Amino acid sequence: MGSLDDLSSSDESASSQLSDFKPLDPEEFRKQAHQMVDFIADYYTKIESYPVLSQVQPGYIRTRMPDKAPNQPEPLEDLFNDVNSLIIPAMTHWLSPKFFAFFPTTVSTAAFLGEMLCTGFNAVGFTWQASPAVTELEMVVMDWLANMLRLPESFMFAGNHGGGVIQNTTCESILVTLHAARDRVLENIGAVNMRKLVVYGSDQTHSTFTKASRLAGIHPSNIRSIPTNLAQGFSLCPEKLGRVVKDDVARGLVPLYLCATVGTTSTTAVDPLEPLANVARAYGMWFHVDAAYGGSACICPEFRHFLNGVERVDSLSMSPHKWLLTYLDCCCLWVKNSALLVKALSTNPEYLKNKHSESDSVVDYKDWQVAATCRRFKSIRLWFVLRSYGVENLQNHIRSDVRMAKKFEWLVRSDPRFEIIVPVRFALVCFRLNPYPEVESGDTELLNRKLLDWVNSSGKIYMTHTIVGGVYMLRFAVGATLTEECHVIAAWKLIKEGADELFKS
Amino acid sequence: MGSLDDLSSSDESASSQLSDFKPLDPEEFRKQAHQMVDFIADYYTKIESYPVLSQVQPGYIRTRMPDKAPNQPEPLEDLFNDVNSLIIPAMTHWLSPKFFAFFPTTVSTAAFLGEMLCTGFNAVGFTWQASPAVTELEMVVMDWLANMLRLPESFMFAGNHGGGVIQNTTCESILVTLHAARDRVLENIGAVNMRKLVVYGSDQTHSTFTKASRLAGIHPSNIRSIPTNLAQGFSLCPEKLGRVVKDDVARGLVPLYLCATVGTTSTTAVDPLEPLANVARAYGMWFHVDAAYGGSACICPEFRHFLNGVERVDSLSMSPHKWLLTYLDCCCLWVKNSALLVKALSTNPEYLKNKHSESDSVVDYKDWQVAATCRRFKSIRLWFVLRSYGVENLQNHIRSDVRMAKKFEWLVRSDPRFEIIVPVRFALVCFRLNPYPEVESGDTELLNRKLLDWVNSSGKIYMTHTIVGGVYMLRFAVGATLTEECHVIAAWKLIKEGADELFKS
């Protein structure tokens, strides 16, 4: 600590030199943030001109950067130049209207404004008192969204025991509910029986379920992945599940947790909640629904039936960053029995104690999430989206994406060289080039791999693939916020052109 | 799906109505984002005028909001009005220069710009290919920061097996490393022995350690919290730790993981890494260092000695959002053996497969973190901070905060009614009102509780308390970015005034 003593005894000029550095001068902030707004608005204007999938090779940025951070400040202009010349070429442009890969992330001006405000305040809401608005606005917005999804009151704060919370990701939503479920069961059967706990999903359940289960200490061999098939639309069959669970119980294992999906990643399959709830209830399992993608669509009455049976599940998560225009990352989790979550996740260090928490009159969201004391003002982003656009526009936005996917499906069906693998349910089209449908061979896969490579390396669009039920297929996911019908039509023309090229050679 | 057919057959006007909604029109974006910049810059200008700790009662926002989201859009003006009239009064203003509670979060214009860009791009970097810049810039920045901390090359990508990754929070850093450690040990001793795994920290280790351990399935009774004391500056004693571990081994338990802290939350105590590493190594434990707060200071040569011994630990985390001007949330984690992390956390669904990942020539950060496929472009924020300010300014910024804390300590010492509990090491002052030092009684605690309440309910400053070693003390944490010496002096005057009032009554 000698150096600190040196500091204390150092002269006035050193002291004034130290205080000259003002990293949050409001007028400097105003000036530079305005510049950044223009930079981003310009980027959105030009975004179609960039190759969607970055065409750089590994090492592109690392070999062009110095080994060390600079000692002295560099002007903002240099940073903008580097963003243009180094960063942008190495980006895959997720917001491009020609991005049809994975599931697109959806964004909006309102969400950007909300995010700016969230960052600007930089409030931390681990307890109610740490910033009351952070907690209360989240409670309000989560009830609003629950209403939009027509969730039963048992999932709302307006009810008695339930409520919603914003997590960063689906993995966290599964992890915290699995933790609550696990602790409840171990309390009864003893922690030495941890090795016996089994969790269930289908072979289409997102890989995040396996990841969360392993993080929670579930043995990999106890993570069941029930096979699905094309005939059943790749959805989890309740009878099959029932048989697997029964077998496990007969072997002395303990069924713990069932994860169903509304809108799987590969093909947007939907697991039937109602009959699955029967199985979960019969064996006393926690029943979670991962509606990360499909959940957003359920704000439209015509899609709501996919959530039928939700009144019998224990928890539900959906990610507005996928389809409700909110930027990354934002995963909404509702639980019916929040006390179980709090019991599993609460921490109560002295330095966070305050009269409101102790009187039990408030929600302290730190006990609903993974992080102990880190908690951003995320609800303000959703609040901006919901109020700026209103429910009807959001419903129309979903419908517009679905309509474009249907259009693409129609285009694919109109070309006899191609086939649709599963009917379009949301805004994803799973299809393949299959010129000789009577012969199922490795050649078909190779052909489609080549087509995908040809299309993506053009930089003109970006789409991805999957393999389900042994079939290699192309995924065309509509949903990037800037995508319009003209982009879908142009994409189809490009894909046809690729097919023409392949047949030529 | 009937309704979709309805949609397909609906008329042109419905179709055009659907497409009228343009939530990311670049010019609308530009206009509204400029408004938001001014709003936030104005907020920073006025921030001193707000009560630091919100003075509202529970229900303030919930009772003033409608039950449901609006069906129709509302104008931006209404949102700004509500932010002013509803949200701001219910905020605790973490960025106020008069915020001395918990640990302040530090921010800067550069970080705000970086965050805007991260949000604006909305790129997802789960694999290298998904957006190469997201992965490569993170690798560069993590090596830069490792250099600034003078970490050994074994923690860098420049070395062979190690590297850094940005997590959201310390809890995630501990969770992923603990998961890797746990799986490595269970592979040897068998998963049925999970109940035997023991983890170690001190009674000053952050509550996030308990939380992460429980999430990972460590039994609560196997989470050791070794007592510390004032005489040893509340740091973890290696000899005590050694005895506890030895006892556990004798009882047939398996030592798994040791978490040391550089800068504890209550009093900024520092655990001695070098001798603790001896214990960890003797028992084959994973050794993690949580330097969330203290780590930032170690970019200054005069503080670097707190990391002595770091070359012998397995992982280290520190949170630039605490003291390196980066806004929430940003926790940097370095590991020596990244293969262990990847082994524990990797998922490999078909739809993410690509030739770069399969050739093993790139880093896929999805396998270094909790979330499976969610990953923001967080490094760009750090990159903006490091380049815009340069290392020297960041060092001076740390020193300036320490100097202000020392000033406050000096002021406290100058008033005989007060006492300093532990010498100031970083920028936190732990002190209490203790007018009758010869009598240790509950009255002293009550007096300090009253003083804290008086001070905080004034709205003029916000500070918090802790209890360590049975002593109730006040925590005065310097570090909010806008804080200058005048605020520290004014805070001290207010505290003295509070003491005067208490003695009057």
Side-chain angles (χ1 to χ4, degrees):
Chain A
M1 306 288 286
S3 51
L4 279 175
D5 296 333
D6 293 351
L7 272 173
S8 310
S9 63
S10 64
D11 60 25
E12 280 299 308
S13 81
S15 172
S16 78
Q17 190 196 352
L18 286 182
S19 58
D20 276 353
F21 176 53
K22 299 211 183 302
L24 193 66
D25 176 74
E27 294 316 312
E28 184 78 357
F29 173 93
R30 190 189 306 270
K31 189 182 132 206
Q32 297 195 342
H34 278 312
Q35 286 177 264
M36 184 55 88
V37 167
D38 285 327
F39 186 89
I40 296 172
D42 291 346
Y43 169 73
Y44 289 155
T45 309
K46 290 180 293 194
I47 196 165
E48 282 198 54
S49 68
Y50 301 117
V52 193
L53 176 66
S54 173
Q55 305 291 316
V56 305
Q57 292 304 307
Y60 182 85
I61 286 189
R62 289 186 71 204
T63 53
R64 284 167 175 80
M65 292 268 176
D67 289 343
K68 291 183 182 169
N71 270 319
Q72 298 300 325
E74 295 182 20
L76 183 55
E77 198 183 12
D78 287 7
L79 279 148
F80 277 131
N81 286 339
D82 282 357
V83 171
N84 277 322
S85 66
L86 278 177
I87 304 294
I88 285 183
M91 303 269 311
T92 294
H93 298 279
W94 281 68
L95 300 193
S96 167
K98 302 183 290 190
F99 183 99
F100 302 102
F102 310 110
F103 286 127
T105 54
T106 59
V107 305
S108 62
T109 298
F112 194 90
L113 301 184
E115 180 64 11
M116 284 173 81
L117 205 48
C118 164
T119 305
F121 284 140
N122 207 45
V124 192
F126 40 74
T127 57
W128 179 88
Q129 180 176 279
S131 202
V134 177
T135 297
E136 294 209 13
L137 195 68
E138 187 158 329
M139 295 169 76
V140 167
V141 166
M142 290 302 289
D143 270 7
W144 283 7
L145 210 47
N147 254 307
M148 288 165 64
L149 293 168
R150 290 197 277 146
L151 296 186
E153 206 179 58
S154 51
F155 285 106
M156 302 185 202
F157 290 104
N160 268 325
H161 306 292
V165 56
I166 301 178
Q167 309 282 336
N168 295 313
T169 65
T170 303
C171 195
E172 287 170 51
S173 291
I174 295 177
L175 183 59
V176 296
T177 49
L178 184 53
H179 178 30
R182 188 196 63 197
D183 280 13
R184 180 177 62 170
V185 167
L186 290 182
E187 213 172 81
N188 290 327
I189 65 169
V192 288
N193 290 307
M194 175 102 170
R195 178 68 181 79
K196 295 183 183 166
L197 302 178
V198 190
V199 300
Y200 302 84
S202 85
D203 60 4
Q204 299 304 304
T205 306
H206 195 279
S207 59
T208 208
F209 177 56
T210 302
K211 193 164 194 173
S213 300
R214 290 187 61 191
L215 278 163
I218 304 300
H219 195 269
S221 68
N222 286 7
I223 302 171
R224 301 274 173 271
S225 181
I226 320 268
T228 60
N229 57 48
L230 179 58
Q232 293 181 309
F234 301 113
S235 78
L236 176 56
C237 166
E239 291 74 28
K240 262 193 222 165
L241 171 71
R243 285 194 294 275
V244 174
V245 179
K246 199 176 163 192
D247 282 357
D248 282 337
V249 172
R251 290 165 56 210
L253 298 176
V254 180
L256 173 64
Y257 189 98
L258 167 63
C259 180
T261 309
V262 174
T264 61
T265 306
S266 274
T267 67
T268 69
V270 175
D271 297 335
L273 306 190
E274 186 84 52
L276 289 171
N278 292 335
V279 183
R281 198 160 286 189
Y283 292 96
M285 280 192 276
W286 185 292
F287 187 11
H288 178 80
V289 176
D290 167 11
Y293 173 72
S296 296
C298 299
I299 65 166
C300 302
E302 66 270 28
F303 290 107
R304 174 56 177 75
H305 65 94
F306 291 127
L307 289 183
N308 284 354
V310 70
E311 60 283 356
R312 298 180 62 203
V313 313
D314 296 289
S315 51
L316 167 82
S317 58
M318 62 89 89
S319 297
H321 65 235
K322 279 216 159 66
W323 213 357
L324 279 185
L325 307 177
T326 57
Y327 287 92
L328 288 173
D329 38 20
C330 178
C331 176
C332 295
L333 168 70
W334 290 271
V335 294
K336 235 183 219 167
N337 186 341
S338 60
L340 285 175
L341 215 58
V342 170
K343 190 177 172 191
L345 294 163
S346 76
T347 52
N348 196 19
E350 181 62 36
Y351 47 81
L352 299 185
K353 286 183 183 166
N354 64 81
K355 64 183 180 199
H356 294 292
S357 301
E358 275 159 45
S359 74
D360 229 10
S361 61
V362 294
V363 164
D364 285 339
Y365 268 130
K366 73 181 172 57
D367 299 335
W368 295 53
Q369 64 173 21
V370 170
T373 50
C374 213
R375 167 154 261 276
R376 300 177 75 225
F377 196 175
K378 284 203 173 181
S379 60
I380 207 162
R381 210 191 313 161
L382 267 174
W383 188 62
F384 262 70
V385 169
L386 298 180
R387 291 190 60 184
S388 299
Y389 301 133
V391 177
E392 284 182 24
N393 270 321
L394 294 172
Q395 289 171 331
N396 286 340
H397 158 73
I398 298 280
R399 288 168 182 147
S400 162
D401 285 350
V402 174
R403 179 187 301 273
M404 286 191 276
K406 288 267 175 194
K407 173 88 185 188
F408 186 84
E409 181 186 32
W410 182 84
L411 291 166
V412 173
R413 286 194 196 276
S414 69
D415 186 326
R417 298 173 299 174
F418 287 85
E419 69 176 355
I420 295 290
I421 313 284
V422 285
V424 171
R425 179 167 274 165
F426 297 107
L428 172 72
V429 187
C430 293
F431 71 108
R432 65 173 177 170
L433 187 54
N434 191 11
Y436 314 110
E438 58 284 358
V439 202
E440 178 67 54
S441 77
D443 290 352
T444 315
E445 176 169 334
L446 191 64
L447 204 61
N448 281 280
R449 283 187 187 273
K450 280 186 180 167
L451 177 59
L452 185 63
D453 205 40
W454 187 91
V455 164
N456 286 343
S457 58
S458 76
K460 289 181 184 165
I461 68 167
Y462 180 29
M463 57 181 190
T464 47
H465 80 284
T466 192
I467 298 178
V468 184
V471 177
Y472 181 97
M473 58 188 90
L474 305 176
R475 293 173 76 265
F476 186 86
V478 178
T481 308
L482 294 168
T483 300
E484 299 181 26
E485 199 172 281
C486 60
H487 300 106
V488 171
I489 292 169
W492 170 244
K493 277 188 187 149
L494 181 76
I495 293 164
K496 275 211 307 190
E497 195 186 318
D500 295 345
E501 286 293 320
L502 283 179
F503 285 116
K504 260 190 230 161
S505 62
Chain B
M1 306 287 288
S3 50
L4 279 176
D5 296 332
D6 294 351
L7 272 173
S8 310
S9 62
S10 63
D11 61 24
E12 280 299 309
S13 80
S15 174
S16 77
Q17 191 196 350
L18 285 182
S19 58
D20 277 353
F21 177 51
K22 299 214 183 299
L24 194 66
D25 176 75
E27 293 317 312
E28 184 79 357
F29 174 93
R30 190 189 306 270
K31 188 182 131 205
Q32 296 195 344
H34 278 312
Q35 287 178 263
M36 185 55 88
V37 167
D38 285 328
F39 186 90
I40 296 171
D42 291 346
Y43 168 73
Y44 289 156
T45 309
K46 288 180 293 194
I47 197 166
E48 281 197 55
S49 67
Y50 301 117
V52 193
L53 175 66
S54 173
Q55 305 290 316
V56 304
Q57 291 304 307
Y60 182 86
I61 286 190
R62 290 185 70 204
T63 53
R64 285 167 174 81
M65 292 267 175
D67 288 343
K68 290 184 182 168
N71 270 317
Q72 299 300 324
E74 297 182 19
L76 183 56
E77 197 183 12
D78 288 7
L79 279 148
F80 277 132
N81 286 339
D82 282 357
V83 171
N84 277 321
S85 66
L86 278 178
I87 304 293
I88 286 183
M91 303 269 311
T92 295
H93 298 279
W94 281 68
L95 300 193
S96 167
K98 302 184 289 190
F99 183 99
F100 301 102
F102 309 112
F103 284 127
T105 56
T106 60
V107 304
S108 62
T109 297
F112 193 90
L113 301 183
E115 180 64 11
M116 284 173 81
L117 205 49
C118 164
T119 305
F121 284 139
N122 208 44
V124 191
F126 41 73
T127 57
W128 178 89
Q129 179 175 279
S131 203
V134 177
T135 298
E136 294 208 15
L137 195 68
E138 187 158 329
M139 294 168 77
V140 167
V141 166
M142 290 302 289
D143 271 7
W144 282 8
L145 210 47
N147 255 306
M148 288 164 64
L149 293 168
R150 290 197 277 144
L151 297 186
E153 207 179 57
S154 51
F155 285 105
M156 301 186 202
F157 290 104
N160 268 326
H161 305 292
V165 56
I166 302 178
Q167 310 281 337
N168 294 313
T169 64
T170 302
C171 195
E172 287 170 49
S173 292
I174 294 177
L175 183 59
V176 296
T177 50
L178 184 53
H179 178 29
R182 188 196 64 197
D183 281 13
R184 180 178 60 170
V185 167
L186 291 182
E187 213 172 80
N188 291 327
I189 65 169
V192 288
N193 290 307
M194 175 103 169
R195 178 66 181 80
K196 294 182 183 166
L197 302 178
V198 190
V199 299
Y200 302 84
S202 84
D203 60 6
Q204 298 304 304
T205 305
H206 195 278
S207 58
T208 208
F209 177 56
T210 302
K211 194 165 193 172
S213 300
R214 291 187 60 190
L215 279 163
I218 304 300
H219 196 269
S221 69
N222 286 5
I223 303 170
R224 301 273 172 270
S225 182
I226 320 267
T228 59
N229 58 48
L230 178 59
Q232 292 180 310
F234 301 113
S235 79
L236 177 54
C237 166
E239 291 74 29
K240 264 192 220 167
L241 171 70
R243 284 195 295 274
V244 174
V245 179
K246 198 177 163 191
D247 282 358
D248 282 337
V249 172
R251 291 165 55 209
L253 298 175
V254 180
L256 173 65
Y257 190 97
L258 168 64
C259 180
T261 309
V262 174
T264 61
T265 306
S266 274
T267 65
T268 69
V270 174
D271 297 335
L273 306 190
E274 187 83 53
L276 289 172
N278 292 335
V279 182
R281 198 160 286 190
Y283 292 96
M285 281 191 277
W286 185 293
F287 186 12
H288 178 79
V289 176
D290 167 11
Y293 172 71
S296 296
C298 299
I299 66 167
C300 302
E302 66 269 29
F303 290 107
R304 173 56 177 75
H305 65 95
F306 291 127
L307 288 183
N308 284 354
V310 71
E311 60 283 356
R312 298 180 62 203
V313 313
D314 296 289
S315 50
L316 168 81
S317 57
M318 62 89 89
S319 297
H321 64 235
K322 278 216 161 65
W323 212 358
L324 279 185
L325 306 176
T326 58
Y327 287 93
L328 288 173
D329 38 20
C330 178
C331 176
C332 295
L333 168 70
W334 290 270
V335 293
K336 234 183 219 167
N337 185 342
S338 61
L340 285 175
L341 215 58
V342 171
K343 190 176 173 193
L345 294 164
S346 76
T347 52
N348 196 20
E350 182 61 36
Y351 47 82
L352 298 186
K353 286 182 182 164
N354 64 82
K355 64 182 179 198
H356 295 291
S357 299
E358 274 160 45
S359 73
D360 229 10
S361 62
V362 293
V363 164
D364 286 338
Y365 269 130
K366 71 180 173 58
D367 299 334
W368 296 52
Q369 64 173 22
V370 169
T373 50
C374 213
R375 167 153 261 275
R376 301 177 74 225
F377 196 174
K378 283 203 176 182
S379 60
I380 207 162
R381 209 191 314 160
L382 266 173
W383 188 62
F384 261 70
V385 168
L386 298 179
R387 291 191 59 185
S388 299
Y389 301 133
V391 178
E392 284 181 25
N393 269 322
L394 294 171
Q395 290 171 330
N396 286 339
H397 157 74
I398 299 279
R399 288 167 182 149
S400 163
D401 285 350
V402 174
R403 180 188 301 272
M404 286 192 276
K406 288 267 175 192
K407 173 87 185 190
F408 185 84
E409 181 186 32
W410 181 84
L411 290 167
V412 173
R413 286 194 196 276
S414 68
D415 186 327
R417 297 172 301 174
F418 287 86
E419 68 176 355
I420 294 291
I421 313 284
V422 285
V424 171
R425 178 168 274 166
F426 296 107
L428 171 71
V429 186
C430 294
F431 71 107
R432 66 172 175 170
L433 187 55
N434 192 12
Y436 314 109
E438 58 283 359
V439 202
E440 179 67 54
S441 77
D443 291 352
T444 315
E445 176 169 335
L446 189 64
L447 204 61
N448 282 281
R449 283 187 186 273
K450 280 186 180 165
L451 176 60
L452 184 64
D453 204 42
W454 186 92
V455 164
N456 286 343
S457 57
S458 76
K460 289 180 185 166
I461 69 168
Y462 180 29
M463 57 180 190
T464 46
H465 80 285
T466 191
I467 298 179
V468 184
V471 176
Y472 182 98
M473 59 188 90
L474 305 175
R475 293 173 75 265
F476 187 86
V478 177
T481 309
L482 293 168
T483 301
E484 299 182 25
E485 198 172 281
C486 60
H487 301 105
V488 171
I489 292 168
W492 170 244
K493 278 189 187 149
L494 181 75
I495 294 165
K496 276 212 305 191
E497 194 186 319
D500 294 345
E501 287 293 319
L502 284 179
F503 284 116
K504 259 190 232 163
S505 61

